[in-house]
Amino acid sequence: QVLRLDPSHKFFTLICSGIPQVMQDADVTLELDLLREQSDVTADVRAGCGALVQEAYGRGSVHNLCAILVRLQWAGNEHNYERKLASIEKAKRDAAAIEGSQTESASAASKRRRLEAADRVNAQKVAAYEKAVSTGDVAASHAADQARKEAELEKMKAEVEAAKAEAARKSREEAAAKAAEALKRMREQDAESDEAGGAEPEGLDAADAFFAARRAQ
């Protein structure tokens, strides 16, 4: 990828990967664009790189960091621009940090007051409940609820027992029906055997069949 530079570009930088892991591009640009040494361009560039690395370390980077900054100077005064002084920006940041901590402290205090108010309300509710229990109104209501729950439980137990008894009865009826069916099949088989025993023996002549029939009688 080719980038053509023009007077709108004020500088470019090469930084190691550990810096973008803890800083956004806008933060890197802001840090490098601050003016730290007005009279010495080289010292200003060196100070900008050092400040960037220290800021990255301050944000939690654990890598060995390095940065290369190339500041561009274009011919003509129309391309110059006013850079912000690092000292002024640092003062602004410190003031913002102090204000933020104060705001956070005020917010924490407000939260604490709300929690204390909620605790007081809960304590009042508990006290009112204990008073109602001691007077007997709530106790009677609790006793009625407990009796209702026990009655519902007993009803459920009775329904379960009835369902078990019905299932046992159906099981006995099915077993009796199967036994009757088996007995019926046995009797039918015995009758078929008796009929087969009364038939004429195969392979006998008429006389032998006659005497066999007489002996059978």
Side-chain angles (χ1 to χ4, degrees), residues 80-159:
N80 296 333
Y81 72 103
E82 294 292 333
R83 292 168 55 195
K84 298 178 180 180
L85 292 175
S87 57
I88 297 177
E89 290 301 314
K90 184 177 184 302
K92 289 181 179 179
R93 292 179 185 178
D94 294 342
I98 294 173
E99 183 179 357
S101 63
Q102 292 176 350
T103 302
E104 183 177 0
S105 300
S107 176
S110 177
K111 182 178 180 180
R112 177 178 53 80
R113 288 193 295 269
R114 290 196 301 270
L115 291 176
E116 291 176 352
D119 290 339
R120 288 194 296 270
V121 172
N122 290 333
Q124 292 174 359
K125 290 181 178 180
V126 171
Y129 174 81
E130 292 177 350
K131 181 178 180 180
V133 171
S134 63
T135 59
D137 296 337
V138 176
S141 178
H142 283 179
D145 290 340
Q146 187 65 25
R148 177 180 56 80
K149 292 179 180 179
E150 291 178 356
E152 292 178 352
L153 182 60
E154 291 298 329
K155 181 180 178 181
M156 291 176 60
K157 289 181 179 179
E159 292 176 352

Side-chain angles (χ1 to χ4, degrees), residues 4-178:
R4 185 178 298 275
L5 299 177
D6 57 53
S8 66
H9 297 95
K10 306 305 180 184
F11 63 87
F12 61 86
T13 182
L14 299 176
I15 56 178
C16 63
S17 60
I19 296 177
Q21 290 179 357
V22 295
M23 297 182 67
Q24 300 293 330
D25 291 347
D27 297 332
V28 174
T29 302
L30 177 62
E31 196 68 38
L32 293 178
D33 195 39
L34 293 177
L35 180 60
R36 292 177 170 82
E37 296 290 341
Q38 301 185 44
S39 59
D40 191 341
V41 176
T42 303
D44 179 63
V45 169
R46 185 182 297 111
C49 292
L52 175 64
V53 169
Q54 292 303 317
E55 181 67 20
Y57 281 135
R59 298 192 183 195
S61 178
V62 295
H63 300 280
N64 293 325
L65 304 179
C66 62
I68 299 175
L69 173 61
V70 177
R71 196 170 299 281
L72 304 176
Q73 293 181 344
W74 299 92
N77 294 330
E78 67 274 11
H79 301 308
N80 296 333
Y81 72 103
E82 294 292 333
R83 292 168 55 195
K84 298 178 180 180
L85 292 175
S87 57
I88 297 177
E89 290 301 314
K90 184 177 184 302
K92 289 181 179 179
R93 292 179 185 178
D94 294 342
I98 294 173
E99 183 179 357
S101 63
Q102 292 176 350
T103 302
E104 183 177 0
S105 300
S107 176
S110 177
K111 182 178 180 180
R112 177 178 53 80
R113 288 193 295 269
R114 290 196 301 270
L115 291 176
E116 291 176 352
D119 290 339
R120 288 194 296 270
V121 172
N122 290 333
Q124 292 174 359
K125 290 181 178 180
V126 171
Y129 174 81
E130 292 177 350
K131 181 178 180 180
V133 171
S134 63
T135 59
D137 296 337
V138 176
S141 178
H142 283 179
D145 290 340
Q146 187 65 25
R148 177 180 56 80
K149 292 179 180 179
E150 291 178 356
E152 292 178 352
L153 182 60
E154 291 298 329
K155 181 180 178 181
M156 291 176 60
K157 289 181 179 179
E159 292 176 352
V160 171
E161 293 298 329
K164 289 182 179 180
E166 180 65 17
R169 183 186 62 79
K170 291 183 179 180
S171 179
R172 290 194 299 269
E173 290 180 354
E174 291 177 356
K178 290 180 179 179

